[in-house]
């Protein structure tokens, strides 16, 4: 009995099965590789998403911190503005206080004011002194103003001009201005300006100015003042 055809057929069938098995194995290998690549890609995507979430959280924190800093800066800016306004008001009050202390206006008697000047009389100070003096003359209804310039030693034309201007300004309000204590250098500058001392009513010192005012008072009023002082 010849079995060769059957053997050959069997061999062919086995070879076909082997080929099919190998093809299936190759397909499985390719599928496994594709699955691994897909899994790797999904892991990469997951990591990227986690990183994006972390960056988004950090960005939100940065925005919140920036908003907090902006509010703090706005608060500090408003606080600084309030502080600057308070400082400006304080400076104005201090300047007024310094002006009052540097140039006190004394009420010697009713209707008699004394204004002692000390130091340098520049443009700004001269304006402040004139303004305060005229206001006080009006408020006190003063008839006499004693301008004591004993402490003014600056011998220049501007200082002399300021003294003369202040004396004339008080006279315009109806008050007689007596300048006392003129230093020789200041008097020389006044002469250079063409000031007539007879019209300026200048005396040697404060006591002489007070004596002149007393002599100018009516007798009855002078006696009343004498009784009050006693």
């Amino acid at each position: 009995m010849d079995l060769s055809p059957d053997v050959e057929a069997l061999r062919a069938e086995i070879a076909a099965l082997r080929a099919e098995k190998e093809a299936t194995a190759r397909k499985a290998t390719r599928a496994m590789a594709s699955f691994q690549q897909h899994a790797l890609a999904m892991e990469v995507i997951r990591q990227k998403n986690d990183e994006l979430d972390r960056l988004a959280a950090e960005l939100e924190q940065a925005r919140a911190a920036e908003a907090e800093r902006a509010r703090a800066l706005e608060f500090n800016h408003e606080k600084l503005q309030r502080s600057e306004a308070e400082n400006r008001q304080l400076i104005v009050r201090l300047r007024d206080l310094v002006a009052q202390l540097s140039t006190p206006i004394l009420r010697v008697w009713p209707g008699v004011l004394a204004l002692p000047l000390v130091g340098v009389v520049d443009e700004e100070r001269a304006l402040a002194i004139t303004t305060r003096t005229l206001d006080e003359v009006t408020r006190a209804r003063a008839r006499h103003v004693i301008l004591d310039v004993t402490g003014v030693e600056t011998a220049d034309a501007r200082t002399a001009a300021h003294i003369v201007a202040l004396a004339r300004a008080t006279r315009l309000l109806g008050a007689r201005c007596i300048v006392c204590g003129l230093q020789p250098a200041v008097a020389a500058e006044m002469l250079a300006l063409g000031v007539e001392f007879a019209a300026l009513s200048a005396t040697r010192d404060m006591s002489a100015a007070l004596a002149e005012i007393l002599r100018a008072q009516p007798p009855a009023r002078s006696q009343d003042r004498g009784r009050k002082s006693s």
Side-chain angles (χ1 to χ4, degrees), residues 54-70:
R54 180 179 59 80
L55 292 176
E58 292 179 356
L59 179 60
E60 186 64 26
Q61 292 177 356
R63 287 176 177 174
E66 184 66 23
E68 183 65 24
R69 285 195 294 270

Side-chain angles (χ1 to χ4, degrees), residues 181-192:
L182 280 172
Q183 300 298 319
V186 180
E189 289 293 340
M190 288 184 174
L191 285 175

Side-chain angles (χ1 to χ4, degrees), residues 209-223:
L210 293 173
E212 184 172 330
I213 292 174
L214 285 174
R215 287 194 299 269
Q217 297 293 332
R221 302 181 71 175
S222 299
Q223 292 176 2

Side-chain angles (χ1 to χ4, degrees), residues 142-213:
R143 298 183 302 276
H144 301 277
V145 176
I146 302 174
L147 184 58
D148 186 359
V149 295
T150 306
V152 178
E153 299 180 356
T154 304
D156 58 18
R158 288 187 176 180
T159 301
H162 293 325
I163 294 173
V164 173
L166 179 58
R168 289 174 176 172
T170 56
R171 289 173 58 188
L172 290 176
L173 293 182
R176 182 189 178 197
C177 183
I178 302 176
V179 180
C180 67
L182 280 172
Q183 300 298 319
V186 180
E189 289 293 340
M190 288 184 174
L191 285 175
L193 292 175
V195 177
E196 297 181 2
F197 285 93
L200 191 61
S201 297
T203 62
R204 183 179 63 258
D205 51 25
M206 177 72 75
S207 61
L210 293 173
E212 184 172 330
I213 292 174

